[in-house]
């Protein structure tokens, strides 16, 4: 059975304090790993797709990396507007995603 | 483009009542999905559709039905609502093997 586990559940950071979120997965055949950002009361917003081990993607203060067993979302010098829940998902069949429970990041000014 | 829209945004039902949630997308995407999101459990797939006139069960389909009569619309029905169906419901659409785009959600409370 496909499993996606995110850690930690919650992360409180001071503005400028860099950190990383983890997404570990167990799937029979990875066809893509996705990162989403979700703000309170809103739908998830797409950030990145990673397809193969060693691949990296960057967007502003966020950088996503992928190994054969896990992905990391690095937040460099975060700002309060980076506060959100970050969701990880894996695609194993062409049509469906399996999501982790998310990591809620709070950045204090 | 409006992207993915959902109606209604909020709804309160009594146990046993029925309702339909509407999802619409204007991106001509083939695939559409209904998820529910509960605290600490992430997004769970209820039903999905790979094209007009087709539907399939996801991870948690019991108590729900769906229809996709038009490519741009995907309806989620609750025939007899139960308190366990209190949740936030999200619709999403996808083109090919690319990322899914989500709607703003419907917050449903069943009392």
């Amino acid at each position: 059975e496909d499993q996606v586990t995110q850690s930690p559940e919650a992360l409180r950071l001071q503005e400028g304090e860099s950190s990383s979120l983890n997404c570990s997965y167990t799937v029979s055949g990875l066809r893509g790993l996705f990162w989403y950002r979700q703000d309170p009361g809103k739908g998830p917003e797409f950030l990145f797709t990673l397809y193969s081990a060693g691949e990296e993607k960057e967007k502003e203060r966020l950088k996503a990396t992928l190994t054969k067993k896990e992905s990391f979302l690095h937040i460099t010098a975060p700002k309060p507007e980076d506060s959100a829940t970050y969701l990880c998902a894996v695609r194993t069949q062409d049509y469906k995603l399996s999501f982790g429970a998310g990591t809620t990041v709070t950045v204090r000014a | 483009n409006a992207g993915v829209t959902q109606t209604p945004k909020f709804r309160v039902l009594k146990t046993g009542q029925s309702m339909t949630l509407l999802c619409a997308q204007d991106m001509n995407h083939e695939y559409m999905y209904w998820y529910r999101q509960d605290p600490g459990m992430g997004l769970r797939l209820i039903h999905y559709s790979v094209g007009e006139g087709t539907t399939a069960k996801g991870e948690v389909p019991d108590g729900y039905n769906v229809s996709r009569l038009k490519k741009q619309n995907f309806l989620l029905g609750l025939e007899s609502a139960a308190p366990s169906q209190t949740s936030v419901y999200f619709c999403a659409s996808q083109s090919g093997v690319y990322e899914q785009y989500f709607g703003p959600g419907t917050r449903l409370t069943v009392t």
Side-chain angles (χ1 to χ4, degrees), chain A residues 25-41:
Chain A
Y25 60 90
T26 305
V27 298
S28 57
L30 183 69
R31 297 187 182 186
L33 185 140
F34 298 78
W35 283 99
Y36 285 83
R37 170 192 170 122
Q38 186 174 23
D39 293 306

Side-chain angles (χ1 to χ4, degrees), chain A residues 4-7 20-24 32-38 44-50 57 62-66 70-74 85-90 97 99 102-103, chain B residues 99-100:
Chain A
V4 181
T5 304
Q6 292 188 246
S7 61
S20 297
L21 285 57
N22 178 263
C23 172
S24 62
L33 185 140
F34 298 78
W35 283 99
Y36 285 83
R37 170 192 170 122
Q38 186 174 23
E45 177 186 345
F46 171 73
L47 291 173
F48 305 110
T49 309
L50 302 166
K57 293 274 181 73
L62 300 177
K63 178 179 178 180
T65 62
L66 181 66
E70 58 192 350
S71 176
F72 292 93
L73 184 65
H74 307 278
T85 296
Y86 292 87
L87 302 172
C88 169
V90 296
L97 295 180
F99 281 85
T103 294
Chain B
E99 63 272 13
Q100 292 184 9

